[in-house]
Amino acid sequence: MTNKDWPLWEIFIRSKQGLNHKHVGSLRAADAEMAVENARDVYTRRSEGISIWVIESNNIHASDSSDADMLFEPSNTKVYRHPTFYDVPDGISHM
Amino acid sequence: MKVLNTEELNRKFQEKIDNDIKIEPNDWMPDAYRQTLIRQISQHAHSEVVRMLPEGNWITRAPNLRRKAVLLAKVQDEAGHGLYLYSATETLGADREDTIDDLHSGKAKYSSIFNYPTLSWADMGAIGWLVDGAAIMNQVPLCRCSYGPYARAMVRVCKEESFHQRQGFEIMMKLANGTPEQKDMAQDALNRFWWPALMMFGPSDDDSPNSQQSMKWKIKRFSNDDLRQQFVDATVAQAALIGLTIPDTDLKFDKASGHYIFGEINWNEFYEVVKGNGPCNKERINARRKAKENGLWVREAAMAFSAKRAIKKSA
Amino acid sequence: MTKNEALFNYTLRLGDDSLILGQRLAEWCGHGPILEEDIAITNISLDLIGQATNLLNYAALIENKDRNADNIAFLRLEKEYCNILLVEQLNGDFGDTMMRQFLFDAFRKPLFEMLQFSKDKQLAAIAEKSLKETKYHLKHSSEWIIRLGDGTEESHQRVQNSLTNLWRYTDELFFTDESDTILSGLGIIPDFSKIKEVWYANVTAVFEQATLQIPANNWQFEGGRKGRHSEHMGYLLAELQYMQRAYPNMEW
């Protein structure tokens, strides 16, 4: 894992006045401005949105209740079990 | 919190799938399911990105302004599809850049057809018509696959893909109804892309060991041979409509089954191309690798700037 | 020179700038520094090709000699293209491309802002539509100039070189001749000196944030507007025109 990789952002689009923002996917960006612009280019190419929210994926706190009674490990913190959400100190290889 | 053993977890998991309940990122899943999906989805993503090269090839040489604009929009869509798909692999815990590095090192595969060269404007038509046509056959059933993010990505992709196929067919139709040189160009493109398009569906499922499990997990909905047959049946009729000839002397309609019988596919060619020995494999991978290498200073600069600004903000 | 001749020249220049720059940006397809940026660049290219189509269609209408946007775009001789030299320069690295883009966008935004009030209704309409796109292009390119200028040592060096090399093509943005004098007199186009003021204020502000220096040597090139291009133009046109030259008089 390299720190030069841009962080992952989750994208939410409100396609019409009166509707909620809907999660449409994710993308990589170096900062919030770029994330919004990239989201506009990727997710509103066919004018599918009038409002864009971007959130760095590791800032989302999640609770997935569906499997709550099935799990033997808690997973109600991050949206994905993603390696880059967990900071590994420099000098540790093979991780 | 009840603790279940692996057997029960697997059983409940399969039950969900059998009942068409979607599996979402944080749900328990067998590791093999996760790994198979990562491989399948990233392969699909890599294909969308690599194909920007044979098609992007012709943007600067498009024959008029409208065709130039439409091709630009199409290739942009493909980049977008790659993005939706990489986004789906991220939900499985696979880092996008890692999967891309696997592509560049030859570890990861992508659709074999993009290792063929685009030699004429008509190839833009052939690719849209045949390649996107084949892709749609594969993708529409995947809109109902078991993994939520992948199914949702496929719905987005399919909406856009039908425009691509129509554009491709429209190009071929225009050429086939044009001057003798244009008709020649179209026929030549069909001759070169027909067999690679059939190979796109992959080998017969008897030779494909993972197919059974994938179908059980509903990440594969139809067999390779079924999809290939569907494609042939649809496309032969379309070719006839515009007066082009499918380059297969063994092709004939079988009244009994209601399907077209077609000739032997050169599986040796398929395996060689997949192995890396196709006409353009090296160029494609080199171009993608160079793009990433040449872009390193840019990506680093953006991160450095972002870090500087974060410091300024908190000061 | 008649008003229509002047208007034809003017529209052709704007159209050629859009066409040639759109063509250049299309070369990035599949080679961008990251997938998201590939999409951004091709998006800008698409907008520019759209603008070129509108402008060259209008030029053909004004000329009234039975040409259309495609004949004009694909079948002229090199010396008949009147884009500025800036837009035909090679893409170079990402910094070169963004610098070229920024210098150009910073000009087109005030231009379209003023042109939407043109006494010529069609030109005003084209300007109004193009302005929305241009605002976005400018936001994108200026943010990149700042990121690269104030990023790492390497990015700063590279984009400073880009600025030093491209600055000599900027005066031509404001080139005016008889056509412009006639049209501004008639309220059809804005006064170029006003555009230059806004442009200069904007670029200097962005360069300051980006910690970049405008070269001390203000030696400038021109020629594009008069059809005297750089060595790159021949190759660019060979690619652009290939299909129409190899397969003349066919429909696509």
Side-chain angles (χ1 to χ4, degrees):
Chain A
M1 220 56 45
T2 161
N3 287 326
K4 304 181 205 109
D5 287 341
W6 292 354
L8 191 63
W9 298 75
E10 300 302 321
I11 312 297
F12 300 80
I13 307 267
R14 187 209 320 276
S15 57
K16 215 164 65 175
Q17 283 299 133
L19 298 178
N20 278 333
H21 281 78
K22 201 170 95 155
H23 180 243
V24 292
S26 65
L27 49 81
R28 297 270 174 180
D31 55 51
E33 274 78 8
M34 197 193 286
V36 172
E37 282 166 43
N38 287 345
R40 180 243 192 221
D41 285 340
V42 177
Y43 291 105
T44 71
R45 269 201 316 289
R46 286 168 169 73
S47 332
E48 293 127 45
I50 57 163
S51 168
I52 299 172
W53 285 355
V54 306
I55 305 169
E56 254 193 81
S57 307
N58 67 2
N59 280 331
I60 297 186
H61 295 266
S63 141
D64 276 331
S65 54
S66 56
D67 283 353
D69 65 342
M70 270 177 50
L71 299 171
F72 56 87
E73 61 166 297
S75 73
N76 65 342
T77 49
K78 300 299 180 193
V79 248
Y80 318 135
R81 295 182 196 141
H82 204 288
T84 51
F85 293 169
Y86 308 101
D87 285 316
V88 175
D90 289 331
I92 298 192
S93 53
H94 308 298
M95 199 180 296
Chain B
M1 209 172 17
K2 219 168 61 167
V3 176
L4 300 176
N5 63 31
T6 317
E7 206 184 295
E8 282 182 65
L9 285 164
N10 266 304
R11 193 183 51 79
K12 285 209 163 193
F13 174 77
Q14 189 60 50
E15 210 173 271
K16 271 170 115 169
I17 293 186
D18 294 339
N19 288 318
D20 280 322
I21 295 174
K22 292 273 183 258
I23 310 295
E24 296 294 348
N26 263 348
D27 293 345
W28 185 89
M29 56 183 83
D31 201 57
Y33 177 84
R34 184 191 299 278
Q35 294 308 325
T36 303
L37 269 177
I38 289 174
R39 197 185 56 239
Q40 185 175 321
I41 303 174
S42 56
Q43 206 166 298
H44 193 169
H46 297 326
S47 302
E48 296 284 1
V49 173
V50 171
R51 73 179 294 177
M52 292 172 70
L53 294 168
E55 287 185 277
N57 222 350
W58 277 89
I59 297 174
T60 52
R61 289 176 291 170
N64 65 28
L65 290 171
R66 179 174 158 256
R67 293 294 181 197
K68 198 190 284 286
V70 171
L71 187 53
L72 263 165
K74 178 179 204 278
V75 176
Q76 231 193 327
D77 275 355
E78 272 134 33
H81 295 175
L83 244 158
Y84 304 153
L85 291 161
Y86 283 129
S87 165
T89 51
E90 303 255 30
T91 69
L92 290 158
D95 184 83
R96 168 172 125 182
E97 289 312 305
D98 283 349
T99 66
I100 289 174
D101 289 339
D102 283 346
L103 170 70
H104 296 172
S105 69
K107 242 176 93 185
K109 306 251 168 288
Y110 54 97
S111 197
S112 53
I113 194 144
F114 302 119
N115 292 313
Y116 290 84
T118 46
L119 302 176
S120 78
W121 171 252
D123 291 23
M124 297 302 105
I127 289 181
W129 172 36
L130 301 175
V131 176
D132 290 322
I136 289 171
M137 299 250 147
N138 197 25
Q139 282 160 193
V140 168
L142 286 176
C143 293
R144 289 170 290 119
C145 85
S146 57
Y147 187 58
Y150 191 22
R152 291 189 288 272
M154 284 293 97
V155 170
R156 276 201 103 89
V157 167
C158 284
K159 262 204 279 219
E160 296 172 359
E161 203 79 27
S162 53
F163 146 68
H164 296 177
Q165 197 201 8
R166 255 180 283 128
Q167 286 299 329
F169 187 67
E170 197 222 351
I171 291 176
M172 292 303 262
M173 190 165 67
K174 191 89 188 178
L175 294 173
N177 292 329
T179 65
E181 291 97 329
Q182 287 176 309
K183 184 161 187 182
D184 253 354
M185 205 196 289
Q187 183 62 59
D188 177 65
L190 174 55
N191 292 347
R192 282 180 289 104
F193 277 94
W194 175 253
W195 292 105
L198 294 194
M199 291 178 204
M200 265 182 89
F201 294 96
S204 174
D205 294 278
D206 308 324
D207 305 324
S208 201
N210 298 317
S211 281
Q212 279 289 21
Q213 181 60 272
S214 290
M215 295 229 233
K216 199 154 176 258
W217 279 335
K218 292 190 181 162
I219 54 186
K220 182 181 172 66
R221 304 304 298 240
F222 296 109
S223 74
N224 295 348
D225 287 328
D226 278 345
L227 289 172
R228 186 172 13 247
Q229 185 63 61
Q230 230 183 302
F231 174 76
V232 172
D233 291 339
T235 314
V236 171
Q238 292 163 354
L241 209 77
I242 55 178
L244 293 178
T245 311
I246 305 279
D248 181 357
T249 47
D250 294 320
L251 188 72
K252 68 170 177 282
F253 186 70
D254 174 42
K255 270 217 191 100
S257 64
H259 294 298
Y260 279 94
I261 300 179
F262 50 94
E264 234 351 270
I265 291 174
N266 182 351
W267 288 112
N268 192 29
E269 178 180 334
F270 172 75
Y271 285 114
E272 284 297 326
V273 173
V274 164
K275 246 192 328 209
N277 297 328
C280 298
N281 298 56
K282 291 193 174 33
E283 285 91 331
R284 303 283 182 246
I285 296 301
N286 280 342
R288 291 308 303 155
R289 194 189 304 121
K290 273 207 122 53
K292 183 165 177 174
E293 282 167 7
N294 291 341
L296 180 60
W297 72 272
V298 176
R299 298 191 302 273
E300 283 182 332
M303 283 313 293
F305 177 77
S306 168
K308 279 187 201 178
R309 212 167 39 181
I311 291 171
K312 271 198 201 130
K313 258 198 190 153
S314 59
Chain C
M1 189 182 292
T2 65
K3 177 200 118 176
N4 272 355
E5 279 166 350
L7 192 56
F8 173 76
N9 288 341
Y10 184 76
T11 323
L12 196 66
R13 289 168 185 175
L14 280 191
D16 279 353
D17 286 348
S18 309
L19 173 67
I20 300 302
L21 187 54
Q23 176 81 351
R24 275 291 186 226
L25 290 176
E27 294 167 18
W28 272 101
C29 190
H31 305 287
I34 193 168
L35 193 53
E36 285 82 352
E37 208 44 49
D38 237 303
I39 296 177
I41 296 176
T42 41
N43 187 44
I44 298 171
S45 173
L46 185 55
D47 285 347
L48 287 170
I49 298 297
Q51 289 173 17
T53 307
N54 289 336
L55 287 160
L56 296 181
N57 264 327
Y58 188 39
L61 203 73
I62 297 163
E63 188 192 41
N64 201 20
K65 286 190 183 147
D66 246 340
R67 285 203 289 179
N68 58 32
D70 282 330
N71 317 122
I72 295 180
F74 291 88
L75 294 175
R76 281 174 288 161
L77 298 176
E78 177 170 328
K79 60 181 180 169
E80 294 168 311
Y81 286 83
C82 38
N83 53 284
I84 52 177
L85 295 173
L86 178 68
V87 298
E88 71 192 54
Q89 298 310 305
L90 296 173
N91 283 335
D93 70 16
F94 184 71
D96 295 323
T97 292
M98 280 303 118
M99 184 56 73
R100 179 185 63 197
Q101 196 60 42
F102 170 63
L103 294 168
F104 181 76
D105 292 335
F107 160 71
R108 297 273 275 210
K109 178 171 170 272
L111 168 68
F112 287 139
E113 264 170 348
M114 298 182 205
L115 201 59
Q116 57 180 341
F117 300 108
S118 169
K119 290 226 165 76
D120 183 294
K121 291 282 171 279
Q122 181 69 323
L123 210 51
I126 294 176
E128 194 188 328
K129 177 173 191 288
S130 308
L131 178 61
K132 289 196 189 92
E133 297 166 344
T134 303
K135 279 185 174 155
Y136 186 73
H137 302 170
L138 179 60
K139 181 170 199 285
H140 177 263
S141 57
S142 33
E143 282 170 5
W144 269 113
I145 294 303
I146 295 170
R147 280 187 202 113
L148 298 177
D150 193 21
T152 60
E153 249 320 300
E154 181 181 2
S155 70
H156 176 87
Q157 231 2 87
R158 283 189 187 239
V159 81
Q160 177 63 66
N161 285 343
S162 310
L163 174 53
T164 306
N165 292 333
L166 292 173
W167 186 253
R168 72 197 67 175
Y169 299 109
T170 53
D171 257 10
E172 200 178 22
L173 288 162
F174 311 102
F175 170 91
T176 54
D177 64 8
E178 195 191 346
S179 308
D180 304 287
T181 317
I182 293 176
L183 295 175
S184 58
L186 294 168
I188 291 178
I189 68 173
D191 179 357
F192 264 59
S193 60
K194 289 211 177 72
I195 302 177
K196 183 162 189 177
E197 258 171 56
V198 177
W199 176 85
Y200 193 76
N202 191 3
V203 307
T204 44
V206 168
F207 290 154
E208 197 188 319
Q209 273 191 75
T211 72
L212 295 171
Q213 307 276 59
I214 290 176
N217 182 353
N218 197 40
W219 172 243
Q220 292 284 337
F221 288 151
E222 63 167 40
R225 284 282 186 248
K226 292 294 190 196
R228 200 181 338 114
H229 293 279
S230 67
E231 240 176 39
H232 308 303
M233 192 67 172
Y235 294 102
L236 187 155
L237 290 179
E239 254 185 72
L240 177 72
Q241 300 191 349
Y242 170 69
M243 286 298 287
Q244 291 225 6
R245 297 287 187 193
Y247 299 91
N249 300 314
M250 297 186 203
E251 305 226 321
W252 302 96

